[in-house]
Amino acid sequence: MQPVTASNEEIRAHLAEAEVPPLLPTLAYVTGDLSLLRGDLRPDPNLMALPQGGLSATQLATARDVALDAIVRFRDGGCLAAPRAGKVELLRIAEHVVGGSGMDEYLPLLEEELALRGDDRRAPQWRKDDIAPDVELRVAIIGAGMSGLLTAHRLAQAGIDFVVLEKNADVGGTWYENRYPGCRVDNPNHNYSYSFAQRHDWPLHFSTQDVLLDYFRTCAHEFGVHDRIRFDTEVCSATWDDARATWTLVTRDADGTEGTVVAHAVVSAVGQLNRPSLPDLPGRETFAGAAFHSAEWDDDAPLDGARVAVIGTGASSVQFTPEIAPRAGHVLLFQRTPPWMGPTADYHDPVPDGQKWLYAHVPTYSEWNRFWMFWRMGDGALPGVRVDPAWDTANGSVSAVNDLMRTMLSSYLEQQFHDRPDLLPHVIPTYPPGAKRLLRDNGVWARTLKRDNVTLVTEPIREITPSGIVTTDGVEHAVDVIVYGTGFQASHFLSPMQVTGRGGVDLHEQWAGDARAYLGITIPGFPNFFCLYGPNTNIVINGSIIYFSECGARYILGCLELLLRGRHAALEIRKDVHDEFNERVDAENRWMAWGWSDVNSWYKNEHGRVTQNWPFSLLEYWQRTLAPEPDDYVVG
């Protein structure tokens, strides 16, 4: 941290650009002055989703005045931080941030997430050479995206031999593959980054694809794992050998040459959003113009002045359509279901200089701001999508809190489209918030749909012809280019890779299109095989997938530790434990907005089951993945 040398007025100017809710808790932590945690300046838990946590203008002004006085005293005292807060003090500070109480259970998790002491509490606390130096253990990691790099780092910390197999020419996974115009993360940077590898100088609140790709490239090198990655190497199959207790992976490189890799354990870090989904529309292959999926963007496509059809209004489309609309002659936007849009004024904005100054000069402000994001996007938001059995759902909401959310989001869309009554009925969803992915918006979506050269088409598509798209009303829309913003084959876990487990059982046949795993990580009949971002580990409104991967990676390292300490060759989850867990997941998902609603969603598979989402708290996933329970596993 840099010492505070700014004048009072300079500090005041910086505070004008601060994220205020974590500000006084930060200063209470740094100075030890808990009187800064004033009750009248606490956020209201029910207003967490609003800018500045719903604090009024008076509260914000008062909080900034209190913060100014505290920073000046910190500066004049030589910038000396108080001794580290004890658990009682830390609990008071954390409860002020969330505007509530009862955070005792969360405290160990929050201490990990905050990483206030700069330590990495999720790192393995053991090394292979210390517990089983004579045991051979090699791990194959499939994928060098966010989860694969994380796993490689953890294995390196534990001194376990590994190789990473990556089908692309670089790291980054989805942030390498998705390069469409406007591509960016919809999770704040501080939240969408490794807890132990924080960057405090993010240029934007929500990073663009190139910034995130650079972050993961940097991590790969700084973790020391880049040289352990075999690029342009796709895994075609993985087969378990009962006699040898090993996995044999068949690979194919860029020129089609096949090879094999033998490993004692496999970690699949292939993700869910890496296989584009194209709609099953008659005539799709007959279209004579340029046609491509957003994840396979064609930079040479003749968009300038062209008639462009965009199919889909999901997360990718909402990002790239505003970028291409000014270039196109006309855009026809084909919408099946409108998305709920969450107002995010700073979605495209740079981090202001004042906030950057606070990150650089006020110790732990960055960490407490990350906690603030973690909570308001995490378990603090979960009640808003849980079904209340006594609630009248006739108006398209599932509880009183969900109805309040619906009212607020509807008001935002009404404000955005008040001057276009022809569009308004088509942009307000009829399903409850949370049933589909909530998208971020800073007004650009309404501005795009209201452009003279953009037409919203809500009539379903009947077929595609060589010259355009025919809707069910018989109208043929002539277009030059088709861009598919139609998402990914998210429910087809591990496809198209073939995975064969104990006794020659094919994983995809066992799943039969209905993927399941214990904690999203382990599968009965597939020893020493682990998944990250596996079934039912997706988050909807609560948290960051990086959090889930960090928890999952720790659990996997715990399983490998069980193997090593017990001198076991194989470990697999008991079927009864797996089945009981999945029954509980299914039951809880039915009481969430995404399970209750019948709206089309990639959260559900072809059987209508929610295979994607984690319906419980972030705390529960953390608790359950701290370490594997040996009795849950069959070892041999």
Side-chain angles (χ1 to χ4, degrees):
M1 301 299 295
Q2 301 172 32
V4 178
T5 59
S7 68
N8 291 18
E9 287 309 307
E10 288 172 329
I11 297 171
R12 186 184 297 278
H14 294 317
L15 288 170
E17 297 179 319
E19 186 72 17
V20 171
L23 187 58
L24 295 181
T26 296
L27 292 167
Y29 181 85
V30 170
T31 65
D33 182 3
L34 299 189
S35 70
L36 296 172
L37 305 176
R38 289 174 42 172
D40 60 320
L41 301 179
R42 256 189 171 196
D44 183 337
N46 296 318
L47 303 178
M48 284 283 186
L50 297 178
Q52 298 286 11
L55 293 175
S56 68
T58 300
Q59 287 175 307
L60 291 172
T62 302
R64 289 186 173 109
D65 287 341
V66 173
L68 172 62
D69 180 66
I71 294 175
V72 168
R73 285 188 283 113
F74 178 69
R75 177 198 65 194
D76 295 346
C79 299
L80 298 177
R84 289 172 179 166
K87 291 190 179 298
V88 173
E89 293 77 17
L90 192 61
L91 181 61
R92 279 193 60 190
I93 296 169
E95 290 184 338
H96 187 277
V97 176
V98 305
S101 58
M103 294 292 291
D104 310 62
E105 198 176 19
Y106 279 86
L107 197 56
L109 164 60
L110 299 182
E111 287 186 281
E112 270 191 13
E113 278 293 310
L114 284 165
L116 289 170
R117 302 175 185 178
D119 52 359
D120 179 5
R121 299 194 180 189
R122 291 180 184 149
Q125 302 302 306
W126 54 273
R127 287 186 60 82
K128 177 185 175 297
D129 285 349
D130 295 331
I131 63 174
D134 56 326
V135 176
E136 186 180 7
L137 178 61
R138 191 181 196 217
V139 179
I141 303 169
I142 308 174
M146 174 272 296
S147 297
L149 295 177
L150 167 66
T151 305
H153 178 50
R154 293 306 192 208
L155 291 173
Q157 289 176 316
I160 294 176
D161 183 30
F162 67 88
V163 61
V164 184
L165 307 170
E166 169 55 54
K167 64 183 174 65
N168 293 321
D170 201 352
V171 302
T174 191
W175 299 110
Y176 174 81
E177 295 176 359
N178 286 272
R179 305 182 184 189
Y180 57 80
C183 183
R184 69 175 63 229
V185 71
D186 59 5
N187 207 314
N189 299 316
H190 279 71
N191 210 30
Y192 193 84
S193 48
Y194 300 121
S195 64
F196 57 90
Q198 285 294 294
R199 174 180 172 179
H200 302 320
D201 61 343
W202 294 102
L204 303 167
H205 290 289
F206 298 85
S207 287
T208 51
Q209 174 266 339
D210 57 321
V211 174
L212 282 170
L213 180 57
D214 180 68
Y215 171 76
F216 290 117
R217 283 172 172 162
T218 300
C219 287
H221 286 285
E222 292 194 356
F223 296 168
V225 302
H226 189 273
D227 293 341
R228 309 281 292 276
I229 304 171
R230 296 186 190 177
F231 294 107
D232 295 312
T233 303
E234 183 170 11
V235 176
C236 305
S237 66
T239 304
W240 173 254
D241 186 319
D242 275 316
R244 298 170 57 197
T246 58
W247 285 93
T248 298
L249 285 68
V250 175
T251 63
R252 183 185 299 117
D253 63 21
D255 63 8
T257 302
E258 289 195 351
T260 59
V261 172
V262 177
H264 302 92
V266 174
V267 177
S268 170
V270 298
Q272 297 178 11
L273 308 180
N274 65 345
R275 299 288 174 179
S277 176
L278 293 171
D280 184 17
L281 294 171
R284 181 167 57 82
E285 301 297 335
T286 69
F287 183 65
F292 53 92
H293 191 277
S294 61
E296 299 169 335
W297 195 265
D298 183 357
D299 291 321
D300 297 324
L303 297 178
D304 294 324
R307 298 168 299 179
V308 180
V310 174
I311 300 179
T313 53
S316 299
S317 176
V318 165
Q319 292 183 341
F320 71 72
T321 302
E323 298 291 325
I324 66 173
R327 296 176 52 190
H330 196 88
V331 172
L332 287 167
L333 181 61
F334 291 84
Q335 173 183 278
R336 180 172 59 173
T337 311
W340 281 114
M341 311 296 290
T344 309
D346 60 0
Y347 189 32
H348 293 167
D349 292 350
V351 177
D353 290 341
Q355 195 159 328
K356 289 180 180 177
W357 183 90
L358 289 166
Y359 288 154
H361 294 83
V362 178
T364 74
Y365 177 64
S366 181
E367 286 77 10
W368 281 105
N369 191 32
R370 184 173 187 269
F371 167 47
W372 162 241
M373 296 174 188
F374 175 88
W375 182 259
R376 70 195 298 218
M377 294 181 58
D379 289 354
L382 200 58
V385 292
R386 183 170 286 120
V387 177
D388 178 358
W391 182 255
D392 181 0
T393 58
N395 70 338
S397 61
V398 296
S399 69
V401 178
N402 190 252
D403 192 58
L404 175 61
M405 187 187 305
R406 179 183 179 84
T407 299
M408 293 169 60
L409 296 178
S410 296
S411 297
Y412 173 72
L413 289 169
E414 290 166 358
Q415 178 188 28
Q416 292 289 308
F417 289 93
H418 73 279
D419 56 343
R420 288 295 300 272
D422 57 318
L423 288 174
L424 187 58
H426 302 293
V427 297
I428 297 183
T430 57
Y431 56 86
K436 287 173 69 75
R437 183 174 176 180
L438 180 69
L439 307 183
R440 293 190 180 275
D441 179 60
N442 58 357
V444 69
W445 189 238
R447 292 195 296 272
T448 299
L449 265 61
K450 290 189 287 188
R451 289 179 60 94
D452 292 338
N453 71 329
V454 174
T455 300
L456 180 66
V457 181
T458 57
E459 193 73 23
I461 296 174
R462 187 179 75 193
E463 63 179 317
I464 295 178
T465 68
S467 57
I469 296 174
V470 180
T471 45
T472 53
D473 56 4
V475 175
E476 180 168 8
H477 306 269
V479 296
D480 306 305
V481 179
I482 298 177
V483 184
Y484 293 99
T486 47
F488 299 86
Q489 301 174 41
S491 293
H492 296 176
F493 290 87
L494 306 185
S495 292
M497 181 172 57
Q498 182 180 16
V499 182
T500 306
R502 192 183 296 280
V505 174
D506 182 281
L507 176 59
H508 294 295
E509 291 181 4
Q510 176 172 306
W511 275 344
D514 195 6
R516 299 172 187 267
Y518 179 66
L519 298 175
I521 299 172
T522 60
I523 307 159
F526 293 81
N528 300 0
F529 189 92
F530 308 99
C531 299
L532 287 175
Y533 203 3
N536 293 111
T537 59
N538 184 60
I539 39 83
V540 180
I541 61 168
N542 56 320
S544 162
I545 191 58
I546 293 184
Y547 166 84
F548 271 76
S549 290
E550 287 193 31
C551 292
R554 173 161 58 189
Y555 187 86
I556 292 170
L557 266 291
C559 289
L560 297 179
E561 184 183 6
L562 281 179
L563 281 175
L564 291 169
R565 290 189 184 276
R567 299 297 198 273
H568 304 301
L571 168 150
E572 66 177 281
I573 190 69
R574 284 169 34 199
K575 188 175 185 302
D576 61 319
V577 173
H578 167 277
D579 292 351
E580 182 182 352
F581 166 79
N582 277 280
E583 288 172 7
R584 184 167 174 259
V585 167
D586 289 348
E588 189 68 11
N589 265 325
R590 286 191 286 270
W591 289 103
M592 307 305 286
W594 52 78
W596 174 89
S597 174
D598 60 1
V599 67
N600 59 285
S601 165
W602 63 271
Y603 298 155
K604 299 177 181 179
N605 64 14
E606 59 198 40
H607 305 289
R609 176 179 169 265
V610 176
T611 55
Q612 304 295 327
N613 299 345
W614 176 254
F616 307 109
S617 67
L618 299 181
L619 175 64
E620 178 167 339
Y621 196 75
W622 177 81
Q623 290 171 331
R624 298 191 67 146
T625 55
L626 280 171
E629 174 55 54
D631 290 343
D632 290 344
Y633 285 86
V634 177
V635 295

